[in-house]
Amino acid sequence: MTDTTIPCEQTFMLTQADFDRFARLSGDHNPIHVDPEFSARTAFGRTVSHGMLLFSVVRSLLARTWPGAVLESQDLMFPSPAYAGEALELTVEELNRNGSTLTLLTTITREDGETCLTGRCQLTLAREDAA
């Protein structure tokens, strides 16, 4: 069994270069993500992260923490924007464990306490982690 401490936490920062690379990879070139001049004229005032870029950070932490686990489901909401160059905190908390099934709460918050991503995911753990 993997010695996993829950909650798991990770602090990270995304840059405009990250937004631009994700746009090239995903094909999502919405100017709210990649055009600082356009974004400055919106209610956000600057570019904001793609929601799926935020989820990619979540997915990476899950894969490192529970290698071999299968992500069975994930629901997500993005109540507030995440901006380039700001510190973000990812927290993963256990909601339920039933045999090899682990249900987790995933949250990304900004330094000001606003939530940028919240959701639940269900993992089927690898055999050695399910014990």
Side-chain angles (χ1 to χ4, degrees):
M1 179 172 172
T2 303
D3 184 23
T4 302
T5 303
I6 299 178
C8 303
E9 297 176 342
Q10 174 184 340
T11 300
F12 66 100
M13 182 179 298
L14 298 170
T15 65
Q16 186 61 53
D18 294 324
F19 295 0
D20 296 343
R21 280 190 296 272
F22 191 82
R24 285 192 302 276
L25 179 66
S26 69
D28 181 353
H29 296 280
N30 184 323
I32 197 66
H33 305 304
V34 297
D35 186 338
E37 279 187 34
F38 171 85
S39 299
R41 297 187 308 268
T42 70
F44 297 115
R46 52 193 164 147
T47 56
V48 299
S49 177
H50 300 76
M52 290 299 104
L53 177 55
L54 294 173
F55 173 66
S56 295
V57 177
V58 172
R59 185 66 186 104
S60 176
L61 179 64
L62 296 176
R64 286 190 319 272
T65 305
W66 292 278
V70 175
L71 178 63
E72 299 290 348
S73 65
Q74 174 73 59
D75 65 65
L76 299 168
M77 293 185 356
F78 305 96
S80 296
Y83 301 103
E86 70 179 349
L88 300 169
E89 180 76 26
L90 165 58
T91 305
V92 176
E93 300 174 83
E94 183 176 326
L95 293 176
N96 185 42
R97 186 183 294 247
N98 184 6
S100 64
T101 301
L102 180 61
T103 304
L104 302 165
L105 173 66
T106 57
T107 308
I108 295 177
T109 54
R110 299 189 315 223
E111 285 184 313
D112 66 3
E114 289 293 316
T115 299
C116 302
L117 174 150
T118 186
R120 291 176 186 235
C121 68
Q122 184 173 312
L123 299 178
T124 299
L125 300 175
R127 185 175 313 211
E128 59 274 9
D129 290 331

